[in-house]
Amino acid sequence: MIPPGIHFVFYSSSTRDGREFSPTIGFFVDVAPSQVIVRKWNQQDEWLTKVSEEEEERYSQAVRSLEFDKNLGPYNLKQYGEWRHLSNYITKDVVEKFEPVGGEITVTYESAILKGGPKTAMEIALDTQMKKSKFTTSSTEQPKGNRFYYTSIPRIIKHKGMSGQELTSMNLDKTQLLESVLSKEYKDSEDLLLGELQFSFVAFLMGQSLESFMQWKSIVSLLLGCTSAPFQTRSQLFTKFIKVIYHQLKYGLQKENSGPETGIHALLDDSWLASDSFLHFLCKDFFALVEETSVVDGDLLSWTRKFKELLENRLGWEFQKKSAVDGIYFEEDDEYAPVVEMLDESHGEYMDKTT
């Protein structure tokens, strides 16, 4: 009953009382209709391993003959909608492009990232979690080259011959950097960029990968650092981006999660979503930008409002004094209240509507 398409499988062994869990191990799968995926539990290493083709075929035939049916659990279709919101840009090509060699994702491979000592609250928390783990087995030794193939995103732009003022202006608005990265690294595919954003978030939140958190942070920082692209050249990209990050944080901030992922959800709340986090500062500037811009795409404005309300309601973040309704606040006679442009899809033209 697993819907066809991309899924992420993650698991963790535990103590007998179920109170302590080993670091999570996960991997992406592209499920075809009627496909059977077979993994065998390695008791010594506490690891799900692949089996030989002959053995996999034998088990697959047994599954299709319903020999294991009474021992198989049904896929929880109630959660499929959430998963689609988290993965609608993740394709087979996206997985193959960014996953590490072997496909296994776990923070136990990433100790080298913390060389020189952890620096941020998130890094310190994950480092502590790794050191406290009682599940140190031979499988936790870091294999050579088991790193993700993430896109390298520079933090600043430098060009020879440019004045300091020009460089400062260029780096205050990361639009030119975004255009450069899209052209060189993604062959101008906005969906591939969003696919990497979703891939890194899933690998971080469900696979507990610190490297993936850093990549997610880099992409979010790049996009939220643009001041002209959201309103001029890339309105559709930013509408899709705000929808993606809205659903990511909506899922990540759920309180009813239990099991091996609980620890990472706690980190989500306590470390990188604090009111002094990078995300708070970036969102504050982005929301202010939307408010101050005279012309805004209607879908972008609508989703920005929803995203802002989510952060206010779930985290108690405050971005400015409230003076009106609908999540983004303007004085009644505010001359800077934006003009909303609604795209008339039937004619491919914009229609102006003043808020």
Side-chain angles (χ1 to χ4, degrees), residues 162-310:
M162 294 189 74
S163 68
Q165 185 176 2
E166 288 173 323
L167 285 172
T168 299
S169 176
M170 189 182 298
N171 285 290
L172 284 174
D173 178 5
K174 295 190 181 296
T175 293
Q176 187 171 331
L177 177 58
L178 172 64
E179 293 296 337
S180 174
V181 170
L182 276 171
S183 175
K184 294 178 181 178
E185 304 294 344
Y186 298 99
K187 308 217 180 310
D188 212 33
S189 171
E190 296 178 352
D191 286 359
L192 182 56
L193 169 65
L194 295 172
E196 184 171 4
L197 180 69
Q198 289 186 331
F199 178 100
S200 58
F201 183 82
V202 170
F204 156 61
L205 190 67
M206 300 176 186
Q208 298 191 352
S209 163
L210 177 58
E211 184 179 358
S212 297
F213 165 72
M214 291 175 172
Q215 184 66 10
W216 181 87
K217 178 180 176 180
S218 293
I219 298 174
V220 169
S221 299
L222 170 64
L223 289 167
L224 288 179
C226 295
T227 58
S228 59
F231 314 105
Q232 296 177 15
T233 57
R234 298 284 182 177
S235 291
Q236 290 188 347
L237 167 61
F238 276 83
T239 300
K240 292 186 286 187
F241 161 61
I242 294 298
K243 288 175 69 173
V244 166
I245 194 173
Y246 168 84
H247 285 295
Q248 287 178 339
L249 297 191
K250 183 181 178 183
Y251 176 82
L253 294 171
Q254 291 178 22
K255 299 297 183 184
E256 63 269 20
N257 291 284
S258 59
E261 72 271 28
T262 301
I264 206 69
H265 280 275
L267 292 175
L268 195 68
D269 284 341
D270 295 342
S271 297
W272 60 280
L273 289 181
S275 59
D276 60 349
S277 71
F278 84 98
L279 188 61
H280 182 270
F281 288 120
L282 287 173
C283 286
K284 185 176 181 179
D285 288 343
F286 186 81
F287 296 153
L289 187 66
V290 172
E291 294 172 17
E292 295 165 4
T293 301
S294 58
V295 178
V296 184
D297 177 81
D299 286 339
L300 176 59
L301 179 60
S302 175
W303 277 100
T304 301
R305 286 173 173 172
K306 289 185 68 172
F307 183 40
K308 183 171 183 283
E309 289 170 358
L310 175 72

